[in-house]
Amino acid sequence: MLVQFSTWDIVRNLLDAGKWTLALSLIAFVLGGIVGLAILFARIADNRVLQAATKAYIEIFQGTPLLMQLFIVFFGLSLVGIDVSPWLAAAAGLTLFTSAYLAEIWRGCVEAVPKGQWEASATLALTYPQQMRHVILPQALRIAIAPTVGFSVQVVKGTAVTSIIGFAELTKTGSMLANATFEPFLVFGLVAAGYFALCYPLSLYAKSLERKFHVAR
Amino acid sequence: MSLVKIAGLHKHFGTNHVLKGIDLEVASGDVVALIGRSGSGKSTLLRTINGLETTDKGELVVDGTALHDGKGDLRALRQKVGMVFQQFNLFPHLTAGQNVMLAPTVVKGTPKAEAQDIAKEVLLKVGLSDKFDSYPDQLSGGQQQRVAIARALAMRPKVLLCDEITSALDPELVSEVLAVVRQLAAEGMTLIMVTHEMRFAREVGNKLIFMHHGRIHESGDPKTVFADPQTPELANFVGAVQPA
């Protein structure tokens, strides 16, 4: 059976797949943000064991390719008898990856708050959680907004790697279409345009935030 | 009965022995000036009084709250000891009023309306009642430092520590801050200050402490101590900072 694909068919299929890329990006970013926040608190806690454990976590995810992390989640779990769908493996893998990077970005932002802010709030008899909540985090948040939005671009592009474990997002759909239509240049050109359409606004937004918060301080 | 009592206080930074057995008593209403060369331990001593620097050995008691060998209830101590810093350290994301209200509401659980009244009262005391809603970056250095003083006063401390509070200010702004400190001293506030303003220390202080190599080298009434230093080190220091 030979099916003829019009250009519109290609675009329509890619748009459909683009929704999955977008969904995966959002899930990885939101869940990664939540996990990353937990990692952040452990990373900066006054506890050597927590510090060392979270440092190792961050180093492992930053020091290995995302592709290997996905392989390990996908094949590793099925090896121990847990059958995970490509969708679940992709979401879990990207969440872990995102959490490690965000925790590290945010740690930098917390440490960018001047030491005098810690001292002044300590002098006023605030407890550590009170210092964090009322003095340190509100300032770290301002610093963190621009790099966090900037990193979301990396997450969107990172979703492309999940095509390898068979998750049918933009890239995977693109390669299937390329095989079926014998028009790889057109198809991958459109795939690239799709990623660009997702990432470019984020980059612009990050830049404008950076400018805004830079002027404010 | 002294308000602040320090006995046999020792502190090391690694192998560096910075406080070598400090004994000091400060009575309520005293205005103490700590002077000495940089590295003499005067700032470190000041910062141990509210636990910003830990100590290795010795006793610190402020109004009945004690630290033995650096251990004790730090938060209870800090509620009795206010501190003002060289770099102001105001919270930049909060207005002047919010800076002042933060600790009373968060630490003491003071209701917001009451904390607001306290904030207005202490800002009025430092002459900034019209700056309640200004952010720190909208204020001059002198105004920021006065807000910092108000912020410390809002906790009703028994003693106020001042760590070179005019050193980061432009010369024309120094006097407005010193005027506030002078007024606090006149009202009977107990003050311990590290300062380079020798004339101010002599005028307002009733106790002068000269630190040298981690020890209290010489102390006494500022007027007599300045006029008649008993040790060559102090004579040398006084001569260096204010040539006759």
Side-chain angles (χ1 to χ4, degrees), chain B residues 84-219:
Chain B
V84 184
F85 299 86
Q86 184 178 346
Q87 298 296 340
F88 328 141
N89 295 342
L90 289 180
F91 307 132
H93 59 299
L94 302 178
T95 63
Q98 289 168 336
N99 263 277
V100 177
M101 286 166 65
L102 181 70
T105 48
V106 168
V107 176
K108 288 186 172 170
T110 308
K112 209 169 169 207
E114 200 181 318
Q116 205 157 1
D117 291 341
I118 296 173
K120 282 181 182 152
E121 173 212 315
V122 289
L123 282 173
L124 179 69
K125 193 189 270 280
V126 299
L128 291 173
S129 48
D130 56 331
K131 299 294 182 188
F132 193 94
D133 292 318
S134 301
Y135 282 91
D137 59 6
Q138 299 168 320
L139 300 173
S140 73
Q143 289 171 332
Q144 288 188 51
Q145 193 60 296
R146 282 146 67 197
V147 172
I149 293 171
R151 181 174 68 176
L153 292 177
M155 288 295 276
R156 312 288 191 215
K158 302 281 182 189
V159 49
L160 189 63
L161 310 177
C162 300
D163 193 2
E164 300 191 26
I165 62 169
T166 57
S167 297
L169 294 174
D170 292 336
E172 72 272 19
L173 301 177
V174 169
S175 62
E176 67 183 60
V177 172
L178 291 185
V180 170
V181 177
R182 192 188 308 261
Q183 176 201 338
L184 289 177
E187 289 170 3
M189 185 78 203
T190 310
L191 294 162
I192 306 177
M193 51 193 184
V194 168
T195 183
H196 294 297
E197 304 281 340
M198 295 304 152
R199 192 187 308 160
F200 185 72
R202 182 165 47 192
E203 274 173 39
V204 178
N206 70 336
K207 192 166 187 174
L208 190 99
I209 295 187
F210 174 62
M211 297 275 299
H212 188 66
H213 290 327
R215 288 195 176 85
I216 293 177
H217 202 70
E218 198 172 332
S219 66

Side-chain angles (χ1 to χ4, degrees), chain A residues 117 119 122-123 125 134 217, chain B residues 47 75 78 90-91 93 137:
Chain A
Q117 296 290 309
E119 292 195 341
T123 296
H134 296 284
R217 276 276 61 82
Chain B
R47 290 161 57 88
R75 291 191 62 231
R78 285 172 175 166
L90 289 180
F91 307 132
H93 59 299
D137 59 6

Side-chain angles (χ1 to χ4, degrees), chain B residues 35 208 210 217-218 225 229-239:
Chain B
I35 63 167
L208 190 99
F210 174 62
H217 202 70
E218 198 172 332
V225 171
Q230 297 300 301
T231 60
E233 288 81 8
L234 179 57
N236 208 328
F237 179 76
V238 171

